[in-house]
Amino acid sequence: RNSKVLLISPPTSHPRSEGYTGQFGTAFSYPTYADLKAIYEGADVAKATTLADEFIKRAARVVEPPRSEIIDSMRLYLAIHELLRSENANAIAIDCLGGFGRKELPAYPCVAFSKLNDIGLYGVCECDLESTMTQLLITSFSGKPGFVSDPVFDTSRNEVIHAHCVSATRMHGIDAPPCPYRVRTHLEDHKGVSMQVLTPPGGAVTVARFTDPRRLMLSTG
């Protein structure tokens, strides 16, 4: 009930958040792409460049993206962080694929979301309201970040593969050491900047998702 979530998507496709407000008291706000882009245009390029160089230095490997696109990603991180501060919010979810494709987003927010999740804030893909609410619950309860997943079921091996374009690096806890990562382009269109986080194998995994404000689906493995 102490959280505020920013949802950025076209006005005709805003997620219906009233049920979560009624159930939990969570507040929601709907900034526009133009609001975020205006902050991005005013972001400190020198600071973004420093963050980009630190990000590159700490990476296990930079595979595809050029340095210029990594700097753009850090400018967007600074803009998103400032938007959260100005709105007194702790979570943001953006229709990122559509926004980038329509050129309403100046860069993909994958790196920004990873950095936010690493420090106990919430950056969530594809303006996915249910996943945002799940991360608010699970991270605040466990102290560990999560990531959105598109599950693939491999019945021949009795396995589920969970993967997406964003993952935090501090998967064992906000205060835990970060996992190594490779810097990649986005899988959908081979553009922008994303991360391949090399989470160590083994250990228990919890998978959860709200299907509506009164039902949470949960499994472990």
Side-chain angles (χ1 to χ4, degrees), residues 180-192:
Y181 60 88
R182 299 176 184 136
V183 185
R184 307 298 306 267
T185 52
H186 195 286
L187 181 63
E188 300 283 345
D189 57 8
H190 306 291
K191 296 178 180 179

Side-chain angles (χ1 to χ4, degrees), residues 109-124:
C110 306
V111 175
F113 287 171
S114 179
K115 290 175 72 65
L116 291 174
N117 294 335
D118 271 349
I119 60 174
L121 296 173
Y122 304 90
V124 185

Side-chain angles (χ1 to χ4, degrees), residues 24 27 34 44 47 57 63 73 98 104 107 120 129 134 149 161 168 188 191 199 204 214 216:
F24 300 111
D44 188 330
K47 186 174 182 180
K57 184 178 180 180
V63 182
S73 292
E104 293 181 282
L129 175 59
T134 305
S149 164
I161 300 167
E188 300 283 345
K191 296 178 180 179
T199 307
R214 293 179 177 269
L216 180 74

Side-chain angles (χ1 to χ4, degrees), residues 189-202:
D189 57 8
H190 306 291
K191 296 178 180 179
V193 183
S194 186
M195 296 164 67
Q196 180 182 7
V197 178
L198 307 176
T199 307

